[in-house]
Amino acid sequence: MQLVKRYGQKGKPGVKYWAVADEWPLRNYWKENPDKFVEYYSRLVKKAKAFNPELKLGGPINAFPRTSLIEKLLIECPELDFIAWNMYMSSNANAPLETVYQRTSLLQSSIVACRQISKKIRKKEIPVIVTAYGSNYRAGNPPDFKLAGPSNGVWEALALNKVVRAGAYAAGTFNVLGLDYGMFGPRDSFGIKGGYVPADIDDETIYVRPSARIMRFFSKIYYGAKSLCNRLY
């Protein structure tokens, strides 16, 4: 609420869309006590809305969409403006590309399922936002150097195709700077170690990863398109 009061003032809020409490800790506790999770989450959403009704608040921002929890939250919290969650396709740099690519269809099916849930409970659709998506949520251990290379550009195109086809309102990546995750940056260490960037590259040269080029393409082509993804960031 301190953040809401600072950046969500009435009139011209500095932040309008709020993904409430990204991947709350005590995840095993919340998994075992979904009703308690929904109670606390709803309380926070209602409190922020009471401070400024102009704000758009969403959730539950799980590490993976759980439709049973989303249903409970929509029933308990009519103030919720959008459904949001994170989704990663693997947890290991050694996961076969074929497996990662195949699992990406879950993005589309999960978005569609959430749209249907909101129709059932609210009698209308509310937006679905994929607050963070990626091919590997544990990219640093062991290092997943291919995130800086062409195969991840192919995966990005596949993922955004699924997001657009499913009618998501928005989709976001975890990071912008080219560290383990990310889009671009000077002396991209993952790019260098993966062999995609020369080791003697100038320190000020910005390496734009293939995934960044794909995201830019989708942003230019599909931004604001009717019945498609409204924005990619």
Side-chain angles (χ1 to χ4, degrees), residues 33-39 42 66-78 80 117 121:
N33 299 275
D35 292 334
K36 189 62 71 175
F37 172 88
V38 166
E39 177 191 339
S42 300
R66 290 173 55 208
T67 52
S68 59
L69 187 67
I70 290 166
E71 284 194 25
K72 287 178 182 287
L73 185 58
L74 286 173
I75 293 168
E76 176 75 19
C77 188
L80 200 76
I117 288 170
I121 295 172

Side-chain angles (χ1 to χ4, degrees), residues 205-219:
T205 300
I206 302 296
Y207 173 57
V208 181
R209 292 180 175 179
S211 53
R213 297 182 187 279
I214 294 296
M215 177 174 273
R216 183 169 183 268
F217 170 80
F218 270 79
S219 297

